[in-house]
Each structure stands twice: as C-alpha cells, then as structure tokens.
Amino acid sequence: MDLIIFLKDGTQHKMLIDRLQESGINGNNFFIESSKEGRLEIPLDSIDGFKLEAKRTYILQESTQTHLITAVGILSKHLR
C-alpha cells in the first residue's frame, strides 16, 4: 500500500506504507516515517492532496494502522 502526496507544484511523493513508525507535524512540516523508507517531511502549505493506493488487500499491524490513521487525519484536517 502506498501513500501518495500531491504537491501544489504538480509533483508528488510516494511512500510505501509498511512498518510505519511515526507520523505527525513538526513546525509547519508534515512528516511520516517507516522503517523501510526512512523519513519524509513536506511543508504543509505545499500539499495539494493525497491518496492511498493498494494493489492487493493488506493486513496492517496495530502500530502501523495507528500511524496511518494519524497521518490520514492530519492530511485530511489540513486540506479542509
């Protein structure tokens, strides 16, 4: 499963949602971190949208699910 974040400049960042460790806001930056792909930080005011993309059904571990729900909540609240 991938989290794709669309930026206002037309680019996008894609991160594999596997073994998420942390997500949140640091100053004016949204961050998300996984054990496989490291940490991604993006300024909140440059985010234009996001989507979750899955090619198959995933079973998330409890900690990964909690971090994913937090990340989606932050992005959804910011984009209102």
Side-chain angles (χ1 to χ4, degrees), residues 1-4 14-20 32-38 53 58:
M1 181 182 306
D2 295 314
L3 172 64
I4 303 168
K14 186 175 187 179
M15 179 176 230
L16 178 65
I17 303 301
D18 185 28
R19 298 187 203 143
L20 279 183
I32 189 163
E33 185 174 342
S34 78
S35 60
K36 280 191 172 183
E37 296 198 22
E53 187 175 80
Y58 284 85

Side-chain angles (χ1 to χ4, degrees), residues 2 12 30 35 37 51-52 58-59 65:
D2 295 314
Q12 62 186 17
F30 168 77
S35 60
E37 296 198 22
K51 75 175 180 177
L52 292 170
Y58 284 85
I59 298 173
Q65 185 173 354

Side-chain angles (χ1 to χ4, degrees), residues 5-74:
I5 300 174
F6 301 97
L7 303 181
K8 292 178 181 173
D9 68 3
T11 61
Q12 62 186 17
H13 290 281
K14 186 175 187 179
M15 179 176 230
L16 178 65
I17 303 301
D18 185 28
R19 298 187 203 143
L20 279 183
Q21 295 176 319
E22 195 173 2
S23 64
I25 296 176
N26 182 13
N28 188 42
N29 292 327
F30 168 77
F31 70 88
I32 189 163
E33 185 174 342
S34 78
S35 60
K36 280 191 172 183
E37 296 198 22
R39 185 178 179 108
L40 174 65
E41 284 200 37
I42 302 170
L44 284 169
D45 56 2
S46 69
I47 297 173
D48 193 35
F50 73 96
K51 75 175 180 177
L52 292 170
E53 187 175 80
K55 293 181 173 80
R56 60 185 175 98
T57 303
Y58 284 85
I59 298 173
L60 299 174
Q61 299 173 4
E62 186 175 333
S63 62
T64 297
Q65 185 173 354
T66 299
H67 291 303
L68 181 57
I69 290 169
T70 301
V72 167
I74 289 168

